[in-house]
Amino acid sequence: MPLLSSNTADKNIVDRSKPHRNSDVARAVKRTRDRLSQQAGNPDFDRELLKLHARAIVNSAAAVPLLVLTIAVAGLAAGMNTDTLVWALFTMGCYAGLAIIARRVDRTEAAAVKPDPIRNTFLAAHGLSGLGWAYFASLGCGACTIDQFPVIKAVILLMAMAATAIMASSLRGALLATFAIPVATYAYVGSQGWMPAEPIMVALLVAALPFFAYVAHHLNRSSVMLLSFRTEKDSLIAELETAKAMSDEARRRAEEANLAKSRFLASMSHELRTPLNAILGFSEVMANEVLGPMGNDTYKAYASDVHDSGRHLLDLINEILDLSRIEAGRYQLNEEPVTLLAIVEDCCHMMELRARNKDIRIVEEFEHQLPRLFADERAVRQIALNLLSNAVKFTPTGGEVRVRVGWTAGGGQYVSIKDNGPGIPADEIPVVLSAFGQGSIAIKSAEQGTGLGLPIVQGLMAMHGGEFELYSKLREGTEAIAIFPPTRVMEQLPALPTKVAAGSRRR
């Protein structure tokens, strides 16, 4: 089955496939996401719309005056009188005033913008610029050589109307405030002459004004929706950042609490070992009747029970001390060249008597001539003993424990201990790899342990830069593999030539 591992020191394992642990944060994020995907736009964005309108006017401040100047130059070239120049100066002055107002609003902070006065100011400025286009609609060209001058005026008004509909879409009513009077003026002037094309142009302008107003209205709604989505996005990001900050703070506190727990256990373990040594020593003296026979055999049995219980408690404290020192980062490795094969072989011999009592056969499959490892001998011996004791503990009578030592494919060395016991369910592997964690089979077993052996092995392997893997299948057995990295393998140096070695000895 696939490899499973645990990096937590708690017995309660978090199932990442379940919903988010913080239900309040999850619900808040879901509500915000639903609003973002379903809401059609928030109409209360007056300040933002006025800022958008001001920015659009500022960015296109030269477009309409340039159009006006081009029309004036073309009119003068066609023979129009100086009224064209007066119109151009008046209209450009109106648009200059509109640009000044827009620049002032653009530079103002959004919170300081007063929507109603500024909206009225913008509409008044647009209306004033509309007077310039009304002046243009009233212009005549009796002396010029242009036959269809009313048609040209209507086309120019349509162009200006389209440009204003796009630029002023963020301000509702700006298009009507600008071109209602010019269209009426064009219709009035056209009714005086009624050239063949003028009624058509009047009808076209009258129809174009509500059409462009409709287009500007839809552009305005699009702007409102974009502002609404942006606001909802900012709100969602703020909530996510808040949730992340809460999670980081909770993780930091949990790490501090775990470190404090490890330091407390390490300190208390030292304090408990001193009285335990006295209990073990005195109970052993009493059980062995070193100072003379005890008058009652029951007391002798009690002393033996006290000694066994004290021994069990001392073993538990030693394991807690080791695990606490590993978690607190206070476990110091005494690294030296060691032979992995010899250490594992010694551990097998130590467990031989216990295995023989249960009629369990330990099968050794070693690759010989392995180079030495640069590791802590005590830690390596503890790793091998913990894995062997677990295998012997859970292997049934008449079973088999297979121990292998050899090379890994990457050039490291490994220890594999496989039993044919009841195995571990897949969902319990993270539990048995956590501190004080025990599977259901271990709980039901008569030989219950402390649940610290595998976490200690995992921590010691991590300190050596190695890996610990646990494979298991229910009713087929378990295999535990401790892998030392290639950087821990010490390569043998080539032998020196005989003459060079002899010369170095003489010197």
Short mmCIF file of all heavy atoms in Angstrom, two decimals, residues 292-318:
data_model
loop_
_atom_site.label_atom_id
_atom_site.label_comp_id
_atom_site.label_asym_id
_atom_site.label_seq_id
_atom_site.Cartn_x
_atom_site.Cartn_y
_atom_site.Cartn_z
N GLY A 292 18.82 -9.71 54.24
CA GLY A 292 18.25 -10.73 55.11
C GLY A 292 16.87 -11.14 54.63
O GLY A 292 16.23 -10.43 53.83
N PRO A 293 16.39 -12.28 55.09
CA PRO A 293 15.08 -12.77 54.61
C PRO A 293 13.95 -11.90 55.14
O PRO A 293 14.01 -11.34 56.23
CB PRO A 293 15.02 -14.19 55.17
CG PRO A 293 15.92 -14.17 56.37
CD PRO A 293 17.02 -13.22 56.05
N MET A 294 12.91 -11.79 54.28
CA MET A 294 11.71 -11.08 54.67
C MET A 294 10.76 -12.05 55.34
O MET A 294 10.65 -13.22 54.95
CB MET A 294 11.04 -10.45 53.43
CG MET A 294 11.92 -9.41 52.73
SD MET A 294 11.13 -8.68 51.30
CE MET A 294 9.80 -7.80 52.10
N GLY A 295 10.08 -11.60 56.32
CA GLY A 295 9.25 -12.48 57.10
C GLY A 295 7.99 -12.94 56.39
O GLY A 295 7.39 -13.94 56.80
N ASN A 296 7.62 -12.27 55.33
CA ASN A 296 6.37 -12.60 54.65
C ASN A 296 6.65 -12.67 53.15
O ASN A 296 7.20 -11.74 52.56
CB ASN A 296 5.31 -11.53 54.95
CG ASN A 296 3.92 -11.96 54.54
OD1 ASN A 296 3.74 -12.64 53.53
ND2 ASN A 296 2.92 -11.58 55.33
N ASP A 297 6.23 -13.79 52.52
CA ASP A 297 6.45 -13.94 51.07
C ASP A 297 5.62 -12.94 50.26
O ASP A 297 6.00 -12.57 49.14
CB ASP A 297 6.11 -15.36 50.63
CG ASP A 297 7.08 -16.38 51.19
OD1 ASP A 297 8.21 -15.98 51.53
OD2 ASP A 297 6.70 -17.58 51.28
N THR A 298 4.51 -12.51 50.80
CA THR A 298 3.68 -11.53 50.08
C THR A 298 4.42 -10.22 49.92
O THR A 298 4.37 -9.57 48.86
CB THR A 298 2.35 -11.31 50.82
OG1 THR A 298 1.70 -12.57 51.00
CG2 THR A 298 1.45 -10.38 50.04
N TYR A 299 5.14 -9.82 50.98
CA TYR A 299 5.93 -8.59 50.87
C TYR A 299 7.01 -8.73 49.79
O TYR A 299 7.31 -7.77 49.05
CB TYR A 299 6.57 -8.27 52.21
CG TYR A 299 5.60 -7.78 53.26
CD1 TYR A 299 5.94 -7.87 54.61
CD2 TYR A 299 4.38 -7.23 52.89
CE1 TYR A 299 5.05 -7.44 55.58
CE2 TYR A 299 3.49 -6.80 53.86
CZ TYR A 299 3.82 -6.89 55.20
OH TYR A 299 2.95 -6.47 56.15
N LYS A 300 7.59 -9.90 49.71
CA LYS A 300 8.60 -10.14 48.68
C LYS A 300 7.99 -10.01 47.28
O LYS A 300 8.59 -9.43 46.38
CB LYS A 300 9.21 -11.52 48.87
CG LYS A 300 10.30 -11.86 47.88
CD LYS A 300 10.88 -13.24 48.17
CE LYS A 300 11.96 -13.60 47.15
NZ LYS A 300 12.53 -14.95 47.40
N ALA A 301 6.80 -10.56 47.11
CA ALA A 301 6.11 -10.42 45.82
C ALA A 301 5.76 -8.97 45.53
O ALA A 301 5.88 -8.49 44.39
CB ALA A 301 4.85 -11.29 45.80
N TYR A 302 5.34 -8.24 46.59
CA TYR A 302 5.04 -6.82 46.41
C TYR A 302 6.29 -6.05 45.96
O TYR A 302 6.23 -5.18 45.09
CB TYR A 302 4.51 -6.23 47.70
CG TYR A 302 3.09 -6.62 48.02
CD1 TYR A 302 2.56 -6.38 49.29
CD2 TYR A 302 2.29 -7.24 47.07
CE1 TYR A 302 1.25 -6.74 49.60
CE2 TYR A 302 0.98 -7.63 47.38
CZ TYR A 302 0.47 -7.37 48.64
OH TYR A 302 -0.81 -7.73 48.94
N ALA A 303 7.44 -6.36 46.57
CA ALA A 303 8.69 -5.68 46.21
C ALA A 303 9.05 -5.96 44.75
O ALA A 303 9.51 -5.08 44.02
CB ALA A 303 9.81 -6.11 47.14
N SER A 304 8.83 -7.20 44.31
CA SER A 304 9.09 -7.54 42.91
C SER A 304 8.15 -6.78 41.98
O SER A 304 8.57 -6.28 40.93
CB SER A 304 8.94 -9.05 42.71
OG SER A 304 9.18 -9.39 41.35
N ASP A 305 6.86 -6.67 42.38
CA ASP A 305 5.92 -5.91 41.55
C ASP A 305 6.29 -4.43 41.49
O ASP A 305 6.18 -3.80 40.44
CB ASP A 305 4.50 -6.06 42.11
CG ASP A 305 3.98 -7.49 41.96
OD1 ASP A 305 4.53 -8.22 41.10
OD2 ASP A 305 3.05 -7.86 42.70
N VAL A 306 6.72 -3.89 42.63
CA VAL A 306 7.16 -2.48 42.65
C VAL A 306 8.35 -2.28 41.72
O VAL A 306 8.43 -1.29 40.97
CB VAL A 306 7.49 -2.04 44.09
CG1 VAL A 306 8.19 -0.68 44.08
CG2 VAL A 306 6.23 -1.97 44.93
N HIS A 307 9.28 -3.24 41.74
CA HIS A 307 10.46 -3.13 40.87
C HIS A 307 10.06 -3.20 39.40
O HIS A 307 10.55 -2.40 38.57
CB HIS A 307 11.46 -4.24 41.21
CG HIS A 307 12.73 -4.14 40.42
ND1 HIS A 307 12.89 -4.76 39.19
CD2 HIS A 307 13.89 -3.50 40.67
CE1 HIS A 307 14.09 -4.50 38.73
NE2 HIS A 307 14.73 -3.74 39.60
N ASP A 308 9.18 -4.13 39.05
CA ASP A 308 8.74 -4.23 37.64
C ASP A 308 7.99 -2.97 37.20
O ASP A 308 8.20 -2.47 36.09
CB ASP A 308 7.86 -5.46 37.47
CG ASP A 308 8.63 -6.76 37.68
OD1 ASP A 308 9.87 -6.72 37.57
OD2 ASP A 308 7.97 -7.79 37.96
N SER A 309 7.12 -2.47 38.06
CA SER A 309 6.38 -1.26 37.70
C SER A 309 7.31 -0.06 37.57
O SER A 309 7.16 0.78 36.67
CB SER A 309 5.31 -0.98 38.76
OG SER A 309 4.38 -2.04 38.84
N GLY A 310 8.28 0.03 38.47
CA GLY A 310 9.24 1.12 38.37
C GLY A 310 10.08 1.04 37.11
O GLY A 310 10.39 2.05 36.47
N ARG A 311 10.46 -0.20 36.73
CA ARG A 311 11.22 -0.39 35.49
C ARG A 311 10.39 0.05 34.29
O ARG A 311 10.90 0.71 33.39
CB ARG A 311 11.64 -1.85 35.38
CG ARG A 311 12.30 -2.23 34.06
CD ARG A 311 13.58 -1.46 33.83
NE ARG A 311 14.57 -1.73 34.86
CZ ARG A 311 15.75 -1.13 34.93
NH1 ARG A 311 16.05 -0.17 34.05
NH2 ARG A 311 16.60 -1.43 35.89
N HIS A 312 9.10 -0.33 34.27
CA HIS A 312 8.23 0.08 33.18
C HIS A 312 8.09 1.60 33.13
O HIS A 312 8.15 2.22 32.05
CB HIS A 312 6.86 -0.58 33.34
CG HIS A 312 5.86 -0.15 32.30
ND1 HIS A 312 5.91 -0.57 30.99
CD2 HIS A 312 4.80 0.69 32.38
CE1 HIS A 312 4.92 -0.02 30.30
NE2 HIS A 312 4.22 0.75 31.14
N LEU A 313 7.92 2.21 34.30
CA LEU A 313 7.79 3.66 34.34
C LEU A 313 9.08 4.34 33.91
O LEU A 313 9.05 5.38 33.22
CB LEU A 313 7.40 4.10 35.76
CG LEU A 313 7.15 5.60 35.97
CD1 LEU A 313 6.07 6.10 35.02
CD2 LEU A 313 6.77 5.86 37.43
N LEU A 314 10.23 3.80 34.28
CA LEU A 314 11.51 4.38 33.87
C LEU A 314 11.68 4.30 32.35
O LEU A 314 12.17 5.25 31.72
CB LEU A 314 12.66 3.66 34.58
CG LEU A 314 14.06 4.18 34.27
CD1 LEU A 314 14.19 5.64 34.69
CD2 LEU A 314 15.11 3.33 34.97
N ASP A 315 11.28 3.15 31.78
CA ASP A 315 11.35 3.04 30.31
C ASP A 315 10.46 4.08 29.64
O ASP A 315 10.84 4.71 28.64
CB ASP A 315 10.93 1.64 29.88
CG ASP A 315 11.93 0.57 30.32
OD1 ASP A 315 13.09 0.94 30.61
OD2 ASP A 315 11.54 -0.62 30.40
N LEU A 316 9.25 4.27 30.20
CA LEU A 316 8.35 5.28 29.65
C LEU A 316 8.94 6.67 29.75
O LEU A 316 8.90 7.46 28.80
CB LEU A 316 7.00 5.21 30.38
CG LEU A 316 5.98 6.30 30.02
CD1 LEU A 316 5.61 6.24 28.55
CD2 LEU A 316 4.73 6.16 30.90
N ILE A 317 9.53 6.98 30.89
CA ILE A 317 10.13 8.31 31.06
C ILE A 317 11.31 8.50 30.11
O ILE A 317 11.51 9.58 29.54
CB ILE A 317 10.56 8.49 32.54
CG1 ILE A 317 9.31 8.62 33.42
CG2 ILE A 317 11.44 9.71 32.71
CD1 ILE A 317 9.61 8.68 34.90
N ASN A 318 12.10 7.45 29.94
CA ASN A 318 13.22 7.56 29.00
C ASN A 318 12.72 7.84 27.58
O ASN A 318 13.30 8.66 26.85
CB ASN A 318 14.05 6.28 29.02
CG ASN A 318 14.86 6.14 30.29
OD1 ASN A 318 15.20 7.14 30.93
ND2 ASN A 318 15.15 4.91 30.69
#
